[in-house]
Amino acid sequence: MKNYSKAWYDALAVERFTQTWPSVYGPRAPIMPFIALPLPPEVRGHFREAGELHHFQPGDSIIEGTVVKGMQMIVSGLSCRVAATLNGQSGAGAMGLSTPNRVATGNLNFATRRPQIGQYFALSRVTTLRISHARGAELGFLKDPAVIRLWLSIQELINLSDRMGLTITAILPAQQKFAAFLLAWSVYFGTVEEGPRGQRVRIPIPGRARHIATVISVSDVTLDKLFADCRSRAGLEREGDFLVFDSAYLQEAHDWMRYCDGNDSPYTRPARVEALLEEAVASTTPH
């Protein structure tokens, strides 16, 4: 398998929506499907201070054995969680992705182990920082009520992302599922520029074709048609390990997510997807 370029790995490592949370309930950021929100600075600090580096090649399982014995934060690369299979095939909404600054696997109870649910694989070269449950207990992570509330909020935000992804793959037509997936990548990893027909977004390719098809639960043939449709409607172009297309292609998926938020969401998505992408780029933490 041809490896991804350094530019691709660098694009995934961009720190976006990683500022200190305004409240324990989460950051000022939209919930996106398929990819959970980045971890808050305090939790990233735990991993960087106490975590052990682990390295994986594409196809490797990032959990050794069948029991989860700790937590991992992705440092670089792309991994996935396949939570359900049927006859060897991933079910709709069963696959989620993990990218830098996010938890790859975890359990809030540091003192005990739990069975592995699903399978966790590296889709590219992946580096993680791992904290065993025993080490987390030694460090007293769950003795501080503020840390407990933070971890509970992280777990709920992951659940919300999973639920949105499951709903999208279960009820939306293929084109909207594809656009929702591209929108998630555009929010977290995209850059924007002005093109002849308005704003253009540039994203690192979101995995190989078979990975994308699995995440959004479509066949390879359908995915080929979706790419062809995006080329026709949004001027999709491939530039090495990146895709460039008109942001307007994402508007319908954005409208659906705005509707799902309801009236009490702590983050109000702007009416136009172009404004959402500009806000996302503005949230990038400079290195």
Side-chain angles (χ1 to χ4, degrees):
M1 178 187 295
K2 180 179 179 294
N3 192 31
Y4 296 102
S5 65
K6 181 180 182 299
W8 183 87
Y9 283 98
D10 289 344
L12 259 65
V14 65
E15 295 196 357
R16 190 165 289 175
F17 299 116
T18 54
Q19 295 88 348
T20 300
W21 290 6
S23 76
V24 72
Y25 302 108
R28 187 183 178 279
I31 297 294
M32 300 304 297
F34 310 116
I35 309 172
L37 282 164
L39 294 170
E42 302 93 320
V43 175
R44 297 201 311 276
H46 292 161
F47 281 101
R48 289 167 180 165
E49 291 169 11
E52 296 181 351
L53 279 172
H54 289 257
H55 304 281
F56 305 93
Q57 294 298 316
D60 287 352
S61 171
I62 62 175
I63 298 181
E64 289 86 356
T66 60
V67 175
V68 178
K69 302 177 183 178
M71 304 185 307
Q72 297 184 81
M73 181 181 75
I74 299 292
V75 176
S76 68
L78 176 65
S79 72
C80 72
R81 181 189 72 256
V82 181
T85 61
L86 179 64
N87 296 327
Q89 299 297 317
S90 297
M95 183 170 174
L97 300 174
S98 293
T99 52
N101 297 311
R102 292 160 177 83
V103 170
T105 66
N107 182 356
L108 291 177
N109 189 344
F110 289 106
T112 63
R113 301 176 177 185
R114 65 167 171 81
Q116 176 179 328
I117 300 174
Q119 296 174 297
Y120 299 76
F121 294 106
L123 300 181
S124 69
R125 290 199 307 261
V126 169
T127 300
T128 71
L129 283 169
R130 181 183 299 171
I131 301 176
S132 70
H133 293 166
R135 178 61 175 155
E138 289 175 6
L139 296 173
F141 284 167
L142 292 187
K143 293 181 180 179
D144 184 343
V147 175
I148 295 173
R149 288 194 297 269
L150 197 59
W151 274 107
L152 289 173
S153 294
I154 291 167
Q155 189 66 45
E156 179 60 17
L157 291 169
I158 292 172
N159 290 339
L160 289 172
S161 174
D162 282 348
R163 290 171 200 157
M164 181 178 281
L166 175 61
T167 303
I168 286 169
T169 54
I171 70 172
L172 293 188
Q175 188 277 327
Q176 287 190 43
K177 291 195 289 186
F178 183 56
F181 183 56
L182 294 180
L183 178 55
W185 275 77
S186 299
V187 165
Y188 287 131
F189 311 116
T191 57
V192 296
E193 60 188 39
E194 282 303 310
R197 297 186 295 186
Q199 188 192 80
R200 301 268 285 173
V201 59
R202 183 176 189 266
I203 61 170
I205 58 173
R208 305 301 182 193
R210 67 179 181 278
H211 302 149
I212 301 171
T214 302
V215 171
I216 64 174
S217 193
V218 299
S219 68
D220 293 343
V221 172
T222 297
L223 184 63
D224 288 341
K225 293 178 179 178
L226 291 171
F227 272 109
D229 175 72
C230 192
R231 282 193 292 271
S232 174
R233 294 174 51 194
L236 175 69
E237 297 176 335
R238 177 80 179 258
E239 296 179 355
D241 283 343
F242 291 79
L243 301 175
V244 185
F245 56 93
D246 295 341
S247 303
Y249 182 78
L250 308 173
Q251 184 65 47
E252 191 173 3
H254 173 63
D255 290 340
W256 185 89
M257 293 179 197
R258 287 184 67 226
Y259 177 79
C260 289
D261 282 346
N263 298 321
D264 298 321
S265 173
Y267 176 85
T268 302
R269 300 177 204 247
R272 300 300 303 170
V273 70
E274 291 88 351
L276 174 69
L277 297 179
E278 289 170 359
E279 287 186 16
V281 172
S283 77
T284 303
T285 300
H287 291 285

